């Protein structure tokens, strides 16, 4: 399940699957879905999933498969968000309810805000490494076209972004399928990131948003 509500847990630790290991655990991390605060909890990055366990309301906890996240970045721009955070975009479908193309799909957004902002770079690095270990099989069909585009985009890799922020993109190969940037993205509305990849095998955006809304309602008693 790409986005799982209330994953099995043992206290502040997730119940792990076969051959699954925790690579990073960070306490006191707030989770925002869009503009909504879900609470504060413990963020675990395992070899298979992103697991956030709510410390106040256990039922409002989540586990997310890495391929469900199309883009992740460290956000330090206070105009985009008041606190340093790890910004994520989830997969969305680019078709409307009638089966036609949707020009502007509504992209679910998550922000993980650690109490210790100094841990953000480590969180980002481990997140990137684990994403590379869990590529979306659907992306393999787009590999050829992605390699053709790499010539145009490759000139940006490792070059300074506007404002002097470094831009990071994963190599376009089987070992690393995740695009990400560090800080240098341009806000559009709230936050907008370029280079995000759609995950064909993932559920529509409305399904992901519904999971988070239901958990928030359960936690607040609404």
């Amino acid at each position: 399940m790409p986005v799982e509500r209330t994953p099995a847990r043992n206290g502040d630790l997730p119940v792990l699957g076969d051959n699954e290991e925790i690579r990073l655990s960070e306490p006191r991390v707030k989770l925002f879905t869009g503009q909504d605060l879900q609470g504060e909890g413990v963020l675990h990055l395992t070899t298979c999933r992103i697991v956030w366990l709510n410390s106040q309301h256990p039922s409002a906890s989540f586990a997310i498969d890495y391929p469900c996240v199309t883009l992740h970045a460290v956000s330090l721009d206070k105009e985009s968000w008041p606190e340093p955070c790890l910004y994520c975009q989830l997969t969305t479908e680019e078709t409307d309810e009638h089966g036609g193309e949707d020009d502007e799909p509504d992209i679910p957004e998550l922000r993980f805000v650690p109490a210790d902002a100094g841990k953000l770079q480590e969180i980002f690095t481990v997140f990137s490494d684990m994403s590379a270990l869990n590529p979306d099989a659907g992306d393999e069909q787009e590999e050829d076209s992605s390699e053709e585009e790499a010539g145009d985009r490759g000139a940006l890799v490792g070059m300074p972004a506007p404002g002097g922020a470094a831009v990071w993109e994963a190599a376009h190969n089987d070992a690393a399928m995740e695009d990400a940037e560090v800080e240098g993205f341009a806000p559009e509305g709230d936050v907008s990131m370029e280079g995000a990849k759609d995950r064909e095998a993932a559920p529509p955006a409305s399904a992901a948003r519904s999971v988070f809304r239901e958990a928030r309602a359960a936690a607040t008693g609404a």
Side-chain angles (χ1 to χ4, degrees):
M1 180 181 294
V3 179
E4 178 185 4
R5 175 182 169 182
T6 317
R9 62 191 292 173
N10 183 8
D12 286 334
L13 294 173
V15 175
L16 302 177
D18 294 340
N19 301 317
E20 183 180 15
E21 300 176 0
I22 295 175
R23 293 299 175 86
L24 181 145
S25 296
E26 183 63 27
R28 300 181 59 199
V29 176
K30 291 184 289 186
L31 171 62
F32 290 84
T33 58
Q35 301 291 325
D36 298 327
L37 174 63
Q38 299 293 328
E40 185 176 271
V42 183
L43 173 65
H44 300 280
L45 300 181
T46 81
T47 50
C48 301
R49 304 172 293 163
I50 306 112
V51 184
W52 181 79
L53 301 179
N54 195 315
S55 299
Q56 291 82 29
H57 305 286
S59 62
S61 300
F62 303 99
I64 306 168
D65 290 350
Y66 288 104
C68 192
V69 180
T70 60
L71 183 150
H72 62 281
V74 172
S75 173
L76 304 176
D77 184 359
K78 291 186 178 181
E79 293 185 1
S80 298
W81 194 257
E83 301 173 277
C85 65
L86 181 71
Y87 170 82
C88 300
Q89 287 183 355
L90 302 187
T91 51
T92 182
E93 289 185 347
E94 295 186 356
T95 56
D96 59 28
E97 59 183 359
H98 302 294
E101 292 186 357
D102 187 351
D103 293 334
E104 296 184 0
D106 190 4
I107 300 175
E109 298 176 327
L110 305 180
R111 290 176 177 85
F112 294 99
V113 183
D116 183 358
K119 298 293 185 65
L120 270 174
Q121 187 58 47
E122 180 184 4
I123 294 172
F124 173 81
T125 299
V126 175
F127 197 117
S128 300
D129 291 343
M130 296 304 99
S131 294
L133 292 178
N134 293 272
D136 187 348
D139 282 346
E140 295 179 359
Q141 300 174 1
E142 301 178 2
E143 181 178 357
D144 292 340
S145 60
S146 295
E147 289 178 351
E148 292 175 0
E149 295 173 0
D152 295 332
R153 299 168 56 190
L156 297 176
V157 178
M159 297 296 292
V167 176
W168 180 88
E169 280 194 80
H172 296 276
N173 53 42
D174 293 338
M177 302 295 291
E178 190 72 33
D179 284 350
E181 301 180 20
V182 180
E183 186 186 7
F185 53 86
E188 179 179 327
D190 184 13
V191 174
S192 177
M193 311 289 284
E194 296 181 356
K197 295 180 180 178
D198 293 326
R199 305 287 190 173
E200 296 178 358
S206 58
R209 289 196 302 274
S210 178
V211 172
F212 294 116
R213 282 200 300 266
E214 290 175 2
R216 182 169 180 267
T220 58

